[in-house]
Amino acid sequence: MKSIYNFSAGPAILHPSVVKATSDATIEFQDTGMGLMEMSHRSQPVVDMVSETDNLVRKLLKLPDSYKVLFLQGGASLQFCMVPMNLLGKGQVADYTNTGTWSQKAINEAMIYGKVNVISSSKDSNYNYIPKELNQSDNSQYLHLTSNNTIFGTQWNSFPTPASKESYLVADMSSDIFSREFDIRDFGLIYAGAQKNIGPAGVTLVIIRESILQSVTRDIPTMMQYQTHINKESMFNTPPVMSIYAVNQSLHWLDSIGGVSNMEVNNKRKAKKLYDEIERNSLFNCPVHEDDRSIMNVPFVFNDELDEANFLDYCADRGLYTLKGHRSVGGFRASIYNAMPEEGVDALIDAMQDYEKKF
Ligand SMILES: *Cc1c(COP(=O)(O)O)cnc(C)c1O
């Protein structure tokens, strides 16, 4: 197989051991004579695998028993509406921070179900910082934030505290879950589409403190109720077993190399190297405020009007793929998720330095 580094923002790079194990399981899963795609989700090997994945999530994130782990479908995008449907009653208020495209989508959905108070926004400067002054309501049900803004390359380095004691944080952690440590007790609910940092598309991880589900009385379709999936341990309907298995293997790999705390050290080292080079290199700069830079998605642009396609081709010739920036930022974006080895970042830095020498 051709050896390249994939800097895609999502679906994104997975550790080779995950790709290999998933590909082997497609042919035969655990000496059953069947491939995993062909097996009943009610069969013991599959039930055990899903339950083991649940345990790995608990272990790696140090979850207390009061939190449930769910493997759902519909992506993070379905959570944009499932969250308010279950947690925001008609006439009730929820506080939302607006730090980018995904935050805005979450806000739009919540407005269907209750009152949304947008307590901060960085829209005025194309979302290149995290606005930390929050105009919180004193009666909000929860405070929603996007922990890492995949498109704009900003990240909450520390999380705000909700104004009211009964309130709690809800976070879209699609692009930074398992990349760094955090205290789950501040959060009522976390959701993350798997395809950024822990697996392929098709499964969404939801972590929920069960006690927050009491407050809303509206009629909700069975499939849209968190309680349904809690009661049936993510097996109310047929779960995306292949995707869950890839998550299982990603988490095994993460566990084997020292868990989230060790990964955080690696991620910070990788990101610092790359930001340092962007600062040093006379051709590039990073549009994001220094304090709010993401350790997962690193956007950078040319200082002068150089030919972006030429740099992308130059990188591709060296095996550095999918570095084109999102259209709303332009320039380049290197996504350096958990599975991106430090050698990949080093190779990108070399390419940036050699390109600088050409000019
Ligand atoms: C990719 C992404 C989404 C959208 O995820 P889907 O699984 O495609 O719905 C939402 N939020 C964030 C932060 C993302 O990075």
Side-chain angles (χ1 to χ4, degrees):
M1 184 170 155
K2 188 157 109 180
S3 169
I4 59 111
Y5 292 112
N6 176 12
F7 292 92
S8 170
I13 187 171
L14 294 168
H15 191 264
S17 69
V18 176
V19 179
K20 175 74 167 60
T22 312
S23 121
D24 289 348
T26 309
I27 309 217
E28 185 182 24
F29 189 61
Q30 294 178 356
D31 304 316
T32 55
M34 285 179 273
L36 187 53
M37 287 191 285
E38 307 162 289
M39 289 174 71
S40 166
H41 55 297
R42 310 276 176 209
S43 66
Q44 204 57 48
V46 175
V47 170
D48 290 348
M49 183 278 287
V50 175
S51 145
E52 185 192 62
T53 315
D54 180 307
N55 283 326
L56 279 163
V57 173
R58 296 187 161 281
K59 177 184 176 191
L60 288 163
L61 295 180
K62 306 187 176 82
L63 301 186
D65 291 342
S66 50
Y67 287 82
K68 302 293 176 197
V69 174
L70 302 175
F71 302 105
L72 305 183
Q73 298 180 67
S77 297
L78 184 60
Q79 296 308 306
F80 296 158
C81 71
M82 211 164 146
V83 163
M85 213 186 267
N86 285 265
L87 303 177
L88 182 61
K90 197 163 183 247
Q92 291 180 335
V93 181
D95 284 352
Y96 275 70
T97 56
N98 184 3
T99 56
T101 310
W102 301 118
S103 300
Q104 183 64 61
K105 289 191 169 174
I107 289 167
N108 295 349
E109 296 299 299
M111 280 163 45
I112 300 172
Y113 297 97
K115 291 187 188 145
V116 173
N117 183 15
V118 179
I119 58 172
S120 72
S121 171
S122 47
K123 194 174 180 182
D124 57 353
S125 61
N126 203 25
Y127 299 114
N128 70 349
Y129 70 104
I130 297 283
K132 289 165 206 96
E133 239 174 74
L134 309 177
N135 252 323
Q136 292 195 50
S137 324
D138 40 24
N139 57 344
S140 95
Q141 299 301 115
Y142 59 84
L143 193 173
H144 181 279
L145 56 84
T146 312
S147 59
N148 182 72
N149 298 281
T150 323
I151 293 174
F152 298 94
T154 61
Q155 189 169 30
W156 289 86
N157 288 318
S158 62
F159 296 111
T161 308
S164 122
K165 257 199 134 95
E166 292 79 54
S167 188
Y168 49 82
L169 297 176
V170 172
D172 176 358
M173 290 200 182
S174 293
S175 53
D176 69 349
I177 193 153
F178 296 104
S179 72
R180 55 171 173 164
E181 293 197 290
F182 63 92
D183 191 345
I184 186 70
R185 288 168 301 182
D186 301 334
F187 296 84
L189 189 147
I190 286 168
Y191 57 95
Q195 72 273 20
K196 308 289 163 57
N197 214 17
I198 50 171
V203 65
T204 309
L205 177 64
V206 173
I207 298 165
I208 183 167
R209 195 198 301 148
E210 198 173 1
S211 60
I212 66 174
L213 288 175
Q214 315 312 321
S215 70
V216 167
T217 52
R218 75 164 57 84
D219 291 332
I220 304 174
T222 314
M223 184 70 183
M224 295 294 175
Q225 297 173 28
Y226 289 115
Q227 198 66 59
T228 302
H229 300 286
I230 292 173
N231 294 348
K232 298 290 184 186
E233 297 181 341
S234 303
M235 298 261 187
F236 170 70
N237 71 321
T238 317
V241 170
M242 279 309 294
S243 296
I244 296 174
Y245 183 61
V247 171
N248 174 292
Q249 290 299 299
S250 285
L251 298 184
H252 267 302
W253 165 68
L254 178 56
D255 194 29
S256 76
I257 59 163
V260 177
S261 61
N262 190 50
M263 184 53 76
E264 178 170 358
V265 173
N266 291 347
N267 284 335
K268 286 187 168 156
R269 193 179 53 244
K270 278 154 51 185
K272 181 171 188 318
K273 269 186 176 179
L274 186 50
Y275 284 115
D276 283 351
E277 173 58 20
I278 295 166
E279 292 294 322
R280 189 212 58 77
N281 196 305
S282 59
L283 300 181
F284 303 101
N285 73 77
C286 173
V288 177
H289 284 209
E290 208 172 322
D291 294 343
D292 302 326
R293 290 178 179 173
S294 166
I295 59 170
M296 297 276 96
N297 310 98
V298 180
F300 55 104
V301 295
F302 276 137
N303 288 323
D304 301 314
E305 283 187 19
L306 299 179
D307 182 354
E308 290 178 355
N310 185 268
F311 180 64
L312 290 169
D313 287 345
Y314 184 82
C315 287
D317 283 344
R318 301 166 73 129
L320 308 172
Y321 280 36
T322 42
L323 283 161
K324 191 172 164 47
H326 190 275
R327 63 188 176 280
S328 45
V329 181
F332 316 102
R333 173 176 49 171
S335 295
I336 51 173
Y337 296 118
N338 285 1
M340 173 58 69
E342 191 155 350
E343 297 79 57
V345 175
D346 290 339
L348 174 57
I349 291 172
D350 285 346
M352 292 164 78
Q353 293 180 347
D354 291 347
Y355 202 72
E356 183 187 29
K357 284 180 199 133
K358 281 178 36 143
F359 285 87

